[in-house]
Amino acid sequence: MKVIKVKDYEEASQKAFEIFRDQVKEKPDSILGLATGSTPIRMYELLAEDHKVNGTSYKNVHTFNLDEYYGLAPTHPQSYYYFMTEHLFKFLDIDLNNVNVPKGNQDIQAECDRYNAMLAENQIDLQLLGIGSNGHIGFNEPGTSFDSVTHYIELDESTRKDNARLFFDGILEDVPTHAVTMGIKNIMEAKRVVLIACGDNKATAIKGLVEDEPTTSLPASILSTHPDFTLIIDEGAASKLDK
């Protein structure tokens, strides 16, 4: 595990941007695993700015997103497909046929099977992650098996509250209760993984990830065993670390 400690969110976003930009420059047909939520927004802005100014091309890149809310169509303003379009895809030269986000409004088991089959044929070169305050990655909540693959899951109340605070106009009742998510096994099969964590509310989870043994009660803790894992943390997220 490589730990990069930075001052704040802006610096964390810059570090992550550099890793992803360099990946695409070195391998123009990279397969990228992408995340949603508030954490990657600035990194996506930097990727868009770099494409506009420097012409870094994404025309041969394929992407796989981690998750999607159950019951939301891709056109729904709070769907993760919509999020990715508004924050990244529409600013790049990426072929939307190469963009993959789980479909939350399809037959769920069939969709999970379809997504797993695609991931089996397309190993992710570089996977981006955020982390929930309860240690979830993707929507793999505490208790999720490390052997899990893409599945349908009920969201913890803490996750729904966090997401209501950031999105859905703060209305908890509007946050879906379930989601479709890549499993932890899918995530661990990526060649490289980068996780960004910022803020005091992530400090307990980060301490468990860095200092404790892997446990399903803290899903992100398994990342400490990944052969090429980079953790980018700001001062708030690092505030409880002993080392």
Side-chain angles (χ1 to χ4, degrees):
M1 174 167 45
K2 178 182 180 181
V3 180
I4 300 175
K5 295 181 181 180
V6 298
K7 180 179 180 182
D8 54 22
Y9 175 68
E10 178 65 26
E11 190 176 349
S13 301
Q14 181 68 39
K15 292 290 186 183
F17 153 70
E18 291 168 1
I19 293 170
F20 275 77
R21 176 203 59 197
D22 291 349
Q23 171 69 36
V24 173
K25 283 190 170 184
E26 292 168 11
K27 187 182 179 188
D29 61 346
S30 289
I31 299 176
L32 303 179
L34 301 179
T36 50
S38 59
T39 298
I41 288 177
R42 179 57 181 152
M43 190 198 95
Y44 291 158
E45 289 176 351
L46 292 168
L47 289 172
E49 291 170 11
D50 172 66
H51 170 68
K52 182 178 180 180
V53 174
N54 300 311
T56 302
S57 178
Y58 294 78
K59 65 182 181 180
N60 294 318
V61 166
H62 287 70
T63 67
F64 285 86
N65 263 78
L66 284 165
D67 42 29
E68 179 61 281
Y69 287 115
Y70 175 65
L72 299 191
T75 54
H76 191 288
Q78 295 292 357
S79 78
Y80 283 163
Y81 186 93
Y82 189 93
F83 175 100
M84 292 303 305
T85 300
E86 292 300 303
H87 288 284
L88 184 62
F89 295 152
K90 72 179 185 181
F91 299 108
L92 304 178
D93 62 342
I94 195 165
D95 182 348
L96 292 181
N97 291 316
N98 295 341
V99 164
N100 298 281
V101 181
K103 293 180 174 64
N105 62 339
Q106 304 290 318
D107 177 278
I108 287 302
Q109 191 55 55
E111 177 60 9
C112 291
D113 292 344
R114 182 190 73 87
Y115 215 66
N116 281 321
M118 293 181 68
L119 290 169
E121 295 178 0
N122 297 274
Q123 185 180 18
I124 291 172
D125 291 301
L126 179 58
Q127 175 69 58
L128 175 67
L129 297 174
I131 186 171
S133 57
N134 65 358
H136 75 244
I137 48 175
F139 272 136
N140 294 287
E141 300 285 20
T144 303
S145 169
F146 290 152
D147 291 326
S148 61
V149 292
T150 306
H151 60 284
Y152 173 68
I153 192 166
E154 183 175 359
L155 302 178
D156 280 6
E157 188 78 358
S158 63
T159 298
R160 295 181 66 239
K161 286 180 178 178
D162 285 347
N163 289 359
R165 177 174 54 84
L166 298 167
F167 305 100
F168 293 94
D169 296 320
I171 303 171
L172 177 62
E173 292 75 19
D174 288 349
V175 182
T177 58
H178 292 75
V180 182
T181 183
M182 267 192 216
I184 295 174
K185 183 179 179 182
N186 299 127
I187 292 169
M188 290 294 288
E189 287 173 345
K191 295 177 185 176
R192 299 170 66 198
V193 178
V194 172
L195 189 152
I196 308 170
C198 296
D200 296 344
N201 64 318
K202 305 295 176 70
T204 298
I206 291 302
K207 180 178 176 61
L209 191 170
V210 174
E211 298 180 355
D212 298 335
E213 293 298 314
T215 170
T216 57
S217 65
L218 186 73
S221 62
I222 191 63
L223 294 168
S224 65
T225 69
H226 192 281
D228 195 344
F229 171 53
T230 299
L231 175 64
I232 303 173
I233 47 175
D234 73 350
E235 292 177 351
S239 60
K240 293 186 177 181
L241 294 177
D242 292 329
K243 54 185 179 182

